[in-house]
Amino acid sequence: LIHVSSDEEEDNLTKEEKAANAKEVVPTAKVIGLHPSSPSHNRTRYIVTAPPTSKTNEGAILVVPMDIRIPKIRLRSKLSSDVLVGTRLVVEVDDWEVDSVYPNGHFVECLGKIGDLETEISCLLLEHDVSLTPFSAKAKSILPSSNNWSITPEDVSTRRDLRSNCTIFSVDPPGCQDIDDTMHAKVLPNGDIEVGVHIADVSHFVPHHSALDREAMIRGTTFYLVDRRFDMLPSILSSDLCSLHGQVDRLAVSVIWVLSPDLKTVKSTWFGRSIIHNVAAMTYQQAHNILHNKPPDDPNQPPPPPLTAGSPVDTKLIPSLKKDLTILTKLARILRKNREEIGGAVDLSSGDRGSELKFSLDENGLPTKVVAKTEMEIHHTIAELMIMANGHVASKIHGHFPSSSLLRNHRTVEQNRFEDLESAFKAGGVSFDGRSNMALAESLRQAKASGKDGAVIDSLFQSLATRAMSEAQYVCTGSKEASVGLSHYGLGIEKYTHFTSPIRRYADVVVHRLLLAAVTKKDDADVRMASLDVGVNRNALESIPDSAAMSVLAGDGLEGGEQKEQSDELEGDDLLDFLLEETSQLGLDGDDDDGSNKLDETKADDETKETDGKSSHAEADPYSTAEVTKICEGINHQNRISKLCSMSCQRLFLSLYFRGNTDVAPAVVIGLRANGLLVYVPKYDMKGPVFLSDKDGNVQIHPSVMGLPSKAGLPPTSGFAIVDGCKRFPDGSCDICNADDEANKYLQVIVPAGSSSVHCDFRLLDVIEVQLSCDTSDVVARIPPTRLHLISKGKKPKIGRTNETKVTTKLVEQRQKESSVTNDEHTHPMYKAIDVDISRNVYHIFSSIQIQPNLDDTLPRFLQQQQQNHTKKTQKQKRVQTMPGRFVFGGFRNPDTHTASQEAAANAAAEAAAQRRNTLSQFVPREKVGPQRNHGIIEIELFFTTGSKSFYG
């Protein structure tokens, strides 16, 4: 693990020091050129920051790019360097002279101050080359007005009207505005079950090849960040006319199945345009409550804004909604049972799924609370319906357009990508087989059944399996990419596409056009509408009990078993590529265009009617192979950028949250290094280093981890001072033992304990507890990632800290003063924890008192001012502006980079510390106060003076 170090330290090394450092062999590289970050720019643009000490002898300033791969850039500007310091800038690189260390550039624009939320979001978007320009006037000219739009008689005559004979509802996250999907379920008079999925008809409002269509294609997808979203379509469509809001009539594209009474056989499938009325736009929690005989609404919660999910449910609808939800829940359980028996899908539900977090924001948009998103069974139910619809639509369009269909492909994983997962299985004593998705699923189930450390280890296996897999991609069935296969490895489905979210994914809009071209015939509308006017027998199916199957997403097996509050942005179809356990095998093994996919023989003739030996759908082919291939390339690129932006934004908000808060969470060891551990934190789906020694080789660890009293060791350096009770052990060591034996190697930490020593060993898959925090006081290039610190191995030590602690600026400053940045070895008794012992004298008791930074108001004002001046002076003198760096997980260490001037400064600091220790016992009584008996406690008011510091206690 490589500690972040200052570039200035490297620049100031003498030739002798550089030669000494060169003895330690590390990978090196040389920058030979800069590639333009975007083809749209004639010159390369970078986001940079000017540090306080950036001015050069030539009058230019050296700015630090946010991209750590790029060297500093020499910037010449007419603006004063004082104006540029502390701001995010956009610069262009002009040239790079052969004999110069740094390229030359010029100032383009200023984005704002470092640490400002809007500034950091702008940097994030620019860094990923996200250009979300407003929709053009030409694109907006074809948009209807929400005030004068209504369903026309023509719509009624050409669509199936489901408003009167189906109880249609939606289930979405609370506050959701872009409601893509609704569903219904009912029992037919003959005992069969009808289930329908109804998706917003976006293609009706976005004409093919129109200006709006082209701009939506360029965007490709809706960009979701923590605190905002950037819609693929104008808001009049995404949040209003296309969105299937409650209690309004909307246009939809529907897939309706007729199933056998036992829900195990698909008897017929119908595709077509429809008109629906959403009777209840529910949230997941409302649907969950209805299924479990609870009131759907919380009277203590305010009603949601208009045109969003979560409006109060009409009590008259609750009985029918429960029966419908019961049917869908039973169907989903059957699908899960089929998946378990077939074993063709992979359960990654606690891998990437766990990476989604919910942030609570204050009025300024800054995070005040963060929790991992959890799922209830209703999430699985909705996801199963979406998977089922997507699979049937994929088979349908591929049967009609075999060379120009848009499908979703997830390739088989190459065996060499499972090395990390296989090593983890080996360390856990579990056999691994990844030759197929069925074998991988069985290996993951065996690992879960092994029961070692429960959900923590299981989450690690899920995460490693997810990371081993390639991303699913959109492919055109007639392109070269499709030659490797069209199946979905994770979901275990032969053909799969995206059909259920056209408001936020352009791929779904294309699939809608393909589907409608496949089913639209001049003479089939009347035949299709005839068989759907059937009665409803809602008493035919009884309520079903809660599922007995264990669900990692529901929190089974976790301590407490408590489900957290549902997230704001969770949508079932968002997770289809990661809910790989939830396989839909219902009628997807063959082409949907056989007899099982028709309502009756008449409609079968309509579906496959041929004229003069040629299929009639050939004339209605909406896309060519080349066009679909180009669309797939564009939306794959946009989806990748969207995911990167989302993950970067989540990391940014985590850092902003942990700069004022700390949290303690379980972590599992996944790697051993000479100076620390690599760990995985399931709660935040985060992987990172845990340093156990600094770059000078000093072990820095909490004494309780080593089995030592809390008074052992010296004060930690600033990087470790955030952990209460952490101490520095200069004579300690970290060594990897049995390094050549992968199965039995371990990291041994040894620290002195009197005349002997104690050790603590760490092995792969050990579960530890880490504290998460973030220090943003010296930000230069970018907001630093969340820092992990070891708290305990096994149970948490009682160090006077709750799981989640608010960290104030004064507290951070106090701890930084307690821990000398220059490694002062002062051991002021007042920094030690109180240890009640009646055998100790009064002086030792007073010496053990911890003085808090918020001093009592009775402290004289001149002393307060004196202390503030001293703090400012100390901060100016000791503050170190570190330049950007990166963690390198290769077992390498930074060489000793101390210069002669740094060594002199350290020696001077040590002498100053020794002088303070010599004057430690000097104190001046503020006033004589007679002792008073109070249950054996002596109350004495004292004023301490130690060196240049004064304390009142």
Side-chain angles (χ1 to χ4, degrees):
L1 307 178
I2 299 299
H3 290 269
V4 177
S5 62
S6 171
D7 286 354
E8 278 78 3
E9 293 182 6
E10 300 291 339
D11 295 339
N12 295 332
L13 292 179
T14 63
K15 292 183 178 180
E16 293 76 10
E17 289 171 326
K18 291 182 179 179
N21 294 339
K23 295 179 180 178
E24 184 172 352
V25 180
V26 297
T28 59
K30 180 181 180 181
V31 178
I32 60 175
L34 294 177
H35 190 276
S37 59
S38 171
S40 61
H41 297 151
N42 295 328
R43 294 179 177 176
T44 306
R45 290 188 174 185
Y46 297 101
I47 303 170
V48 301
T49 306
T53 57
S54 59
K55 196 168 184 178
T56 64
N57 296 331
E58 295 84 5
I61 60 174
L62 291 178
V63 293
V64 183
M66 291 187 71
D67 190 339
I68 59 177
R69 300 168 299 177
I70 306 302
K72 295 179 183 179
I73 299 173
R74 184 183 291 107
L75 181 64
R76 299 183 184 277
S77 174
K78 296 180 180 179
L79 297 176
S80 171
S81 60
D82 296 335
V83 176
L84 300 179
V85 168
T87 58
R88 302 291 193 200
L89 312 173
V90 177
V91 302
E92 284 187 354
V93 173
D94 300 318
D95 58 70
W96 194 342
E97 299 174 0
V98 176
D99 58 346
S100 176
V101 179
Y102 307 111
N104 299 313
H106 67 272
F107 169 81
V108 176
E109 65 174 312
C110 178
L111 299 178
K113 290 292 182 181
I114 296 177
D116 178 73
L117 181 60
E118 293 300 323
T119 299
E120 299 300 335
I121 293 293
S122 298
C123 293
L124 184 151
L125 296 175
L126 285 174
E127 191 176 21
H128 291 91
D129 198 25
V130 178
S131 178
L132 297 174
T133 56
F135 289 95
S136 66
K138 187 175 182 180
K140 292 188 290 186
S141 64
I142 64 174
L143 295 174
S145 171
S146 60
N147 296 328
N148 55 23
W149 180 85
S150 62
I151 295 175
T152 65
E154 182 182 0
D155 294 328
V156 176
S157 63
T158 58
R159 293 172 179 265
R160 184 57 183 146
D161 194 342
L162 304 175
R163 291 175 290 182
S164 60
N165 55 24
C166 294
T167 303
I168 297 175
F169 57 89
S170 61
V171 184
D172 291 278
C176 178
Q177 293 178 305
D178 49 348
I179 301 176
D180 291 283
D181 53 272
T182 57
M183 63 283 307
H184 86 271
K186 64 183 180 182
V187 180
L188 303 179
N190 62 355
D192 289 342
I193 309 294
E194 181 181 284
V195 174
V197 171
H198 317 281
I199 308 301
D201 190 358
V202 173
S203 61
H204 174 82
F205 296 93
V206 183
H208 196 186
H209 296 310
S210 64
L212 180 59
D213 183 44
R214 288 193 296 270
E215 294 185 23
M217 180 180 64
I218 293 173
R219 293 177 179 236
T221 183
T222 293
F223 283 67
Y224 289 94
L225 303 183
V226 171
D227 62 339
R228 68 198 71 190
R229 76 172 192 241
F230 300 95
D231 290 322
M232 182 188 76
L233 297 173
S235 59
I236 184 64
L237 297 182
S238 62
S239 300
D240 192 355
L241 299 183
C242 289
S243 185
L244 307 180
H245 294 300
Q247 303 302 324
V248 294
D249 296 341
R250 287 290 184 259
L251 304 180
V253 178
S254 300
V255 181
I256 300 176
W257 303 275
V258 175
L259 309 172
S260 60
D262 60 2
L263 299 175
K264 295 181 179 180
T265 305
V266 177
K267 291 187 173 183
S268 62
T269 307
W270 180 85
F271 306 93
R273 278 186 155 128
S274 60
I275 303 175
I276 67 167
H277 181 85
N278 185 356
V279 300
M282 296 182 290
T283 65
Y284 287 107
Q285 189 63 54
Q286 286 175 316
H288 174 81
N289 290 345
I290 290 175
L291 274 171
H292 293 80
N293 298 316
K294 298 179 181 179
D297 303 303
D298 185 356
N300 298 322
Q301 294 294 330
L307 299 180
T308 60
S311 297
V313 179
D314 188 348
T315 55
K316 297 179 181 179
L317 293 173
I318 292 178
S320 61
L321 288 173
K322 180 179 179 180
K323 290 183 174 65
D324 295 347
L325 288 168
T326 299
I327 294 174
L328 299 180
T329 303
K330 185 175 181 180
L331 172 61
R333 291 176 182 176
I334 292 175
L335 295 176
R336 287 197 292 272
K337 183 179 179 181
N338 290 339
R339 180 261 307 160
E340 291 171 357
E341 291 176 351
I342 297 173
V346 186
D347 176 12
L348 298 184
S349 52
S350 63
D352 271 18
R353 178 66 196 94
S355 66
E356 293 194 43
L357 303 173
K358 175 184 176 180
F359 293 85
S360 298
L361 309 178
D362 60 16
E363 61 277 5
N364 297 319
L366 297 176
T368 58
K369 182 181 179 182
V370 55
V371 295
K373 294 182 180 180
T374 58
E375 289 204 348
M376 298 172 285
E377 187 179 13
I378 185 64
H379 293 94
H380 294 269
T381 300
I382 303 304
E384 278 295 341
L385 289 175
M386 301 303 109
I387 294 173
M388 187 177 180
N390 288 333
H392 276 274
V393 170
S395 296
K396 180 68 177 179
I397 63 175
H398 185 253
H400 279 259
F401 308 112
S403 61
S404 59
S405 291
L406 189 153
L407 299 186
R408 186 77 167 164
N409 172 241
H410 190 211
R411 297 184 180 181
T412 303
V413 184
E414 298 178 1
Q415 290 301 297
N416 58 2
R417 296 178 63 90
F418 283 129
E419 291 180 356
D420 292 340
L421 180 60
E422 189 171 4
S423 298
F425 269 65
K426 187 176 181 181
V430 183
S431 60
F432 175 79
D433 185 358
R435 290 174 295 180
S436 66
N437 58 348
M438 183 180 297
L440 176 60
E442 180 61 28
S443 296
L444 291 172
R445 281 195 289 270
Q446 291 179 0
K448 184 175 182 179
S450 66
K452 181 180 179 181
D453 291 298
V456 178
I457 300 297
D458 182 55
S459 296
L460 169 65
F461 291 154
Q462 308 291 353
S463 179
L464 291 176
T466 302
R467 285 166 170 77
M469 296 182 184
S470 59
E471 288 187 347
Q473 299 284 322
Y474 295 108
V475 296
C476 175
T477 52
S479 64
K480 294 181 180 179
E481 289 78 6
S483 60
V484 298
L486 298 173
S487 63
H488 199 291
Y489 174 87
L491 293 175
I493 296 179
E494 184 180 353
K495 294 182 183 68
Y496 190 71
T497 191
H498 275 168
F499 160 76
T500 54
S501 296
I503 293 179
R504 56 188 177 84
R505 291 190 306 229
Y506 187 77
D508 301 56
V509 178
V510 175
V511 170
H512 275 228
R513 290 174 179 150
L514 291 168
L515 176 64
L516 294 174
V519 302
T520 300
K521 302 291 184 296
K522 293 181 179 180
D523 55 349
D524 66 350
D526 295 335
V527 179
R528 290 176 177 278
M529 293 189 291
S531 64
L532 290 178
D533 291 323
V534 293
V536 180
N537 180 11
R538 299 189 181 279
N539 297 320
L541 190 65
E542 297 180 354
S543 177
I544 53 180
D546 289 342
S547 174
M550 177 176 287
S551 170
V552 176
L553 288 177
D556 295 344
L558 297 175
E559 291 186 4
E562 182 177 336
Q563 291 184 343
K564 294 182 175 61
E565 181 182 358
Q566 181 52 40
S567 62
D568 291 332
E569 291 296 338
L570 179 63
E571 293 194 23
D573 202 40
D574 281 332
L575 311 177
L576 297 184
D577 292 329
F578 302 110
L579 290 177
L580 302 180
E581 179 181 9
E582 309 298 298
T583 306
S584 176
Q585 296 290 345
L586 201 54
L588 298 181
D589 294 332
D591 195 310
D592 282 353
D593 290 337
D594 58 15
S596 65
N597 197 28
K598 309 297 177 293
L599 291 177
D600 52 39
E601 292 298 327
T602 304
K603 282 174 285 301
D605 294 337
D606 290 326
E607 289 284 298
T608 57
K609 183 183 292 184
E610 295 185 1
T611 304
D612 297 330
K614 298 180 181 180
S615 67
S616 59
H617 68 254
E619 299 176 359
D621 193 342
Y623 292 98
S624 65
T625 300
E627 190 175 4
V628 176
T629 301
K630 185 177 180 179
I631 291 174
C632 289
E633 292 175 354
I635 57 181
N636 283 334
H637 175 71
Q638 289 299 99
N639 281 344
R640 178 62 177 167
I641 292 178
S642 175
K643 291 180 181 179
L644 291 175
C645 284
S646 179
M647 291 188 294
S648 297
C649 187
Q650 181 172 288
R651 288 193 295 265
L652 170 64
F653 272 73
L654 270 179
S655 296
L656 294 178
Y657 172 75
F658 283 120
R659 72 178 176 181
N661 302 272
T662 62
D663 189 19
V664 175
V668 56
V669 177
I670 60 175
L672 306 176
R673 299 296 184 265
N675 57 343
L677 310 167
L678 269 179
V679 302
Y680 171 70
V681 185
K683 181 177 180 180
Y684 299 101
D685 193 43
M686 177 189 301
K687 183 175 73 172
V690 174
F691 293 102
L692 300 180
S693 66
D694 56 29
K695 59 184 179 182
D696 296 322
N698 298 321
V699 172
Q700 308 220 30
I701 196 170
H702 196 282
S704 63
V705 177
M706 308 300 300
L708 297 175
S710 59
K711 298 178 292 186
L714 302 176
T717 56
S718 59
F720 295 85
I722 189 65
V723 180
D724 278 351
C726 182
K727 294 297 180 66
R728 178 166 52 93
F729 297 89
D731 297 328
S733 64
C734 289
D735 297 292
I736 296 180
C737 303
N738 300 330
D740 297 331
D741 188 352
E742 191 68 26
N744 297 313
K745 72 176 181 179
Y746 60 94
L747 177 68
Q748 186 172 77
V749 181
I750 302 176
V751 299
S755 58
S756 60
S757 61
V758 293
H759 68 87
C760 183
D761 300 338
F762 298 89
R763 290 177 168 81
L764 293 177
L765 299 191
D766 278 353
V767 176
I768 63 175
E769 284 192 318
V770 296
Q771 176 180 292
L772 297 92
S773 61
C774 184
D775 181 12
T776 61
S777 59
D778 290 328
V779 174
V780 176
R782 62 171 62 239
I783 302 293
T786 303
R787 180 79 180 270
L788 307 178
H789 299 272
L790 177 65
I791 291 296
S792 69
K793 182 183 179 183
K795 294 183 178 180
K796 255 186 299 187
K798 295 182 179 180
I799 56 176
R801 195 185 195 94
T802 59
N803 280 7
E804 191 165 325
T805 306
K806 193 73 176 180
V807 180
T808 63
T809 304
K810 291 184 178 180
L811 180 58
V812 174
E813 293 176 354
Q814 177 68 12
R815 290 178 183 171
Q816 289 177 345
K817 289 187 289 184
E818 292 174 3
S819 60
S820 172
V821 178
T822 56
N823 294 339
D824 295 347
E825 296 190 8
H826 65 275
T827 56
H828 197 296
M830 291 166 53
Y831 296 131
K832 298 182 179 179
I834 297 177
D835 188 4
V836 179
D837 186 351
I838 60 174
S839 64
R840 300 172 64 196
N841 58 37
V842 175
Y843 170 74
H844 288 110
I845 294 176
F846 290 154
S847 299
S848 65
I849 297 176
Q850 290 184 333
I851 305 300
Q852 299 300 324
N854 294 327
L855 300 181
D856 192 90
D857 292 338
T858 58
L859 184 64
R861 292 184 178 179
F862 76 94
L863 290 179
Q864 291 184 357
Q865 186 64 37
Q866 180 183 2
Q867 184 179 10
Q868 292 174 0
N869 294 339
H870 174 74
T871 301
K872 294 179 180 179
K873 182 178 178 181
T874 303
Q875 289 179 340
K876 290 179 180 179
Q877 290 177 346
K878 296 185 177 181
R879 184 174 181 181
V880 178
Q881 288 284 0
T882 58
M883 301 304 288
R886 68 193 302 182
F887 292 122
V888 181
F889 308 119
F892 302 106
R893 292 189 182 200
N894 268 357
D896 186 5
T897 59
H898 284 187
T899 62
S901 60
Q902 292 172 330
E903 291 291 347
N907 294 334
E911 293 178 1
Q915 184 177 1
R916 287 196 298 271
R917 289 195 296 272
N918 293 335
T919 59
L920 187 62
S921 60
Q922 300 178 9
F923 64 92
V924 181
R926 183 167 178 263
E927 62 176 323
K928 295 183 179 180
V929 179
Q932 300 176 357
R933 289 192 176 273
N934 186 7
H935 301 287
I937 303 298
I938 299 177
E939 296 182 354
I940 301 179
E941 197 174 52
L942 295 174
F943 177 74
F944 291 88
T945 300
T946 59
S948 60
K949 297 183 179 180
S950 301
F951 300 93
Y952 172 78

